[in-house]
Every structure is written in structure tokens, then in C-alpha cells.
Amino acid sequence: MKKTSTRLADGRELLYYDSHHTPRATTDHRPLGPPVATTSEIRQDPLLGDSVAIASHRQGRTYLPPADECPLCPSRDGRLSEIPADDYDVVVFENRFPSLAGPTGRCEVVCFTSDHDASFADLDEDRAALVLDVWRDRTAELAGLRQVEQVFCFENRGAEIGVTLGHPHGQIYAYPFVTPRTAQMLRSAAEHRERTGRNLFDDVVAREVAEGSRVVVDAAHWVAFVPHAARWPYEVHLHPRRRVPDLRGLDDAARAEFPGVYLELLKRFDRLFGEGQAPTPYVSAWHQAPVRAAGRAGFGLHLELFTIRRAIGKLKHLAGSESGMSVFINDVPPETAARRLREAASA
């Protein structure tokens, strides 16, 4: 992997990640002024203790532009975009409309391919491996920033999820706090350790493998399963068999096997609802240990992949119980979801 750092016309950082040693000397010729003034502010909920980002400047961000105006496509044929080069493998740049910036963290965009009409599932294994290397590199660099407490790599796909740009891309949030969901996992892991003397993440994976009914992919270095108490209609958790706290800890064997396993899972999601259906909308989220929090060593890196589509033409909306009380009601039994995902395997 070759990494080349440059600056956009407004001073934001952009990084090219190439599989080969491709020269990168392009300049952003757009007449951009200074970066959009951010009003990002972190406020604390006094009842729940949660941190909330207030970012009103994001109201003006680009929203579902036509393909010929996509800011994530390469700069070609006289049209200038966020990426000055006329082609690329993987690109990372600072978000022009960040939810977090400066002392409140950092937000980055990760473009997986220059092909506007592709998706992550369309990538070959070499490109998927490069994306994994990019996630690992960004995790290492962002974790080194003084204000960052947690690094979150994720992808939202589909207008139903709320995506505002159709080009295949993901994002990375570097939070200045430990997120509520991760904090709860750490508390549960600490309580489990005190009660049993064992690691919670290890026990969860061992239980799913032993029961077997919810396992979707059982590989040498990764295991994917629908969790016992799945919140979403189709939800898969992907764990490395050798527990590590974050992406930086993956060994060579796990890194080599990941592309094939992950691409297979994405393809199964797209086959869930049959031929002729629109691509399955999903969220793919890496859960990594906080940078400095107590209990970090016992945390288990894993990826959570889920869709809000529960049937053809039907979406799972967060209604009163979910939005008001954080109590999920799932219409699809986890065992049924796992069976359907197994049946959606490649021929």
C-alpha cells in the first residue's frame, strides 16, 4: 500500500491509498475559500449522561446530487470534484461538513472506488483488503490525536438509511468521548468478568458457535452470526476468532481471510429479497475499543452489519418503543434470519 498526503483548495487533508506506487501530483484547482465554518458543539444529557453533537452547519451539505455532479467521483472532463485525480483506488479526506471538528474530534470520508455505480460488494478481494488496511491506518493515526477517545469506521448504504451521496463510500468519526453504546459494552464486560472471571466477548462467540442455529459464516479466522437478541430484522455480528481490541490488532491470517468473508456477507444481504429488488440498504459498523478507557484490553473488536428492510417493500421504522424507550421489537426471529442468510450463500 502506498499512502500519499495532499491538501484540498480549502486546506483540508486528502490521502490517496494505492495498491501500487502510483504518482500523485494533482492539485485541487477549485476556487474554494476557507473550510465551511463549523458550529459543532458537544452537549451532555444530564439525565442519561450521553454526549450529543450539535452541528447546525450540516444543514447545507450536499444532498443526493445527480451522478454527473457527484463530489466523490474523480475530476474528469473539465469537472472538478473533491478528488483532484482523474482516477483512484481508495481516497480519504476530511469531511467538508463534519459533525465533529477541531477540539470536538474529526470526521473523514472514505471512498472505496472511483466507480460511481459500484458498491462495496462489487469490489474484488484485493480492493477490499486495501480498504481494511486503510481502516487500520486511519484508526492508528486518529487514535494518536490528543482529543480523540474512540475511532468509529462505518458505512451507510441506501437512501432508506439516510445516505446523502450515492457514490460507494464510508465514514470515520473520531470522537472526543467514549460513545454510549461502547460504554455500555464495557460495563457489561466488567460485570461479567467480576461475576464469572471470564471474558464476555469470548463467551458470546463461544455460545453462538456451540448453539450453531444463528451462525451464518464459520471460517477459519472469523465467525459471523445473528445475535441471540438481534434488534434489526437482519443483523449479523462478525468477530475475529482471536479476540483483539481494535483493527490494529488483527494478525496476518485474519486480515487475509477478511475480504472473502465480508464480501460474501454483503452479497448475501443483497440476495435476501430476491432478484429484481433494489440493493439492500444497510449499516456496517466497526466496534473498536476506546483509545484509553479502562477495560480496553478485554474489549472484542467486531463488525455489526444490519438492514432496516424487513420484507419486500417494508422497512423497520423506529417507533415509540424503540425511539422513546430504546426497547427494540424485532419482527424476524434471529434463527429465521440466520437460516435465510445461510440459504443466500453463493452458488
Side-chain angles (χ1 to χ4, degrees), residues 76-157:
R76 292 175 182 165
D77 304 322
R79 192 182 73 82
L80 305 179
S81 73
E82 287 279 71
I83 295 102
D86 62 2
D87 199 8
Y88 62 83
D89 287 350
V90 178
V91 164
V92 175
F93 61 88
E94 290 184 75
N95 198 322
R96 193 176 183 187
F97 302 94
S99 303
L100 308 163
T104 65
R106 177 166 162 136
C107 292
E108 298 182 340
V109 177
V110 183
C111 299
F112 305 135
T113 172
S114 61
D115 184 352
H116 180 85
D117 297 317
S119 70
F120 202 118
D122 296 323
L123 304 182
D124 61 27
E125 291 194 15
D126 287 343
R127 180 62 58 84
L130 178 59
V131 175
L132 177 61
D133 287 343
V134 170
W135 285 330
R136 296 176 71 248
D137 180 79
R138 300 314 302 152
T139 295
E141 186 158 330
L142 294 172
L145 298 179
R146 183 173 55 185
Q147 73 270 34
V148 171
E149 294 294 334
Q150 185 172 348
V151 180
F152 175 45
C153 306
F154 65 101
E155 179 193 1
N156 301 329
R157 186 181 81 163

Side-chain angles (χ1 to χ4, degrees), residues 221-339:
H221 303 284
W222 295 86
V223 59
F225 54 84
V226 178
H228 174 73
R231 291 168 169 78
W232 302 97
Y234 294 92
E235 173 182 348
V236 171
H237 292 192
L238 176 62
H239 286 251
R241 288 189 178 276
R242 185 180 71 86
R243 175 174 47 83
V244 294
D246 61 31
L247 288 162
R248 296 174 291 178
L250 292 174
D251 60 23
D252 290 346
R255 291 165 57 193
E257 189 179 66
F258 172 79
V261 171
Y262 185 51
L263 290 171
E264 174 62 21
L265 285 174
L266 294 180
K267 290 170 183 175
R268 292 190 192 195
F269 264 61
D270 276 344
R271 287 192 289 262
L272 266 175
F273 302 100
E275 296 293 332
Q277 298 301 313
T280 301
Y282 64 74
V283 173
S284 178
W286 281 109
H287 290 262
Q288 306 196 77
V291 176
R292 285 171 283 273
R296 168 183 163 76
F299 192 88
L301 166 77
H302 63 285
L303 182 141
E304 298 186 6
L305 173 66
F306 61 88
T307 180
I308 62 172
R309 185 178 289 170
R310 57 187 176 89
I312 296 175
K314 297 179 181 179
L315 300 179
K316 165 66 178 176
H317 294 287
L318 297 189
S321 184
E322 291 90 353
S323 296
M325 285 288 127
S326 293
V327 178
F328 277 69
I329 301 170
N330 190 352
D331 299 336
V332 181
E335 294 74 19
T336 300
R339 175 178 53 77

